[in-house]
Amino acid sequence: MMVKREVLSSEGSMMLVKVELAEGFVGDIDQHPEEQLSFIEKGQVEFEVDGEKRILNAGDTQYIPSSIQHRVKVIEECVILDMFSPIRKDLLEG
């Protein structure tokens, strides 16, 4: 399995999602109206946000503004904690 998601909390206007990604995973370009803050708990990833690439390691964070295109490429198997505001209803349904 390349992607495993678990909604840890979705209260008020905030949501916390634990995402586990396999080494070599390359995400599709994503874009959503919710703001996102990603915390790398384990591993190494390349985040591309609005065309700008950054390598992130455990302990690093990445902010993604509302409606900005972004994608992730996993360099080393990782666990990411994603916070969204407001709640991403599509993640609750899926």
Side-chain angles (χ1 to χ4, degrees):
M1 183 183 300
M2 295 295 279
V3 180
K4 181 181 170 195
R5 278 194 179 90
E6 178 186 359
V7 176
L8 301 178
S9 178
S10 59
E11 298 180 54
S13 65
M14 301 178 84
M15 171 183 246
L16 185 63
V17 180
K18 180 179 181 178
V19 184
E20 297 176 52
L21 300 170
E23 186 170 320
F25 173 79
V26 178
D28 295 329
I29 292 176
D30 197 13
Q31 186 173 4
H32 44 77
E34 299 84 7
E35 289 182 281
Q36 178 176 340
L37 183 61
S38 296
F39 172 78
I40 312 306
E41 187 176 281
K42 170 187 151 192
Q44 185 179 59
V45 297
E46 177 188 87
F47 260 93
E48 183 178 344
V49 179
D50 203 20
E52 187 175 316
K53 294 180 181 180
R54 235 179 112 208
I55 302 288
L56 301 175
N57 297 290
D60 291 339
T61 60
Q62 175 69 58
Y63 170 70
I64 301 166
S66 171
S67 300
I68 294 295
Q69 288 191 346
H70 56 283
R71 79 183 318 167
V72 66
K73 177 179 171 185
V74 180
I75 299 165
E76 178 184 299
E77 180 183 342
C78 67
V79 176
I80 301 174
L81 295 176
D82 283 331
M83 184 169 24
F84 298 98
S85 181
I87 288 171
R88 278 191 68 176
K89 294 188 177 16
D90 61 317
L91 295 181
L92 290 175
E93 296 159 4

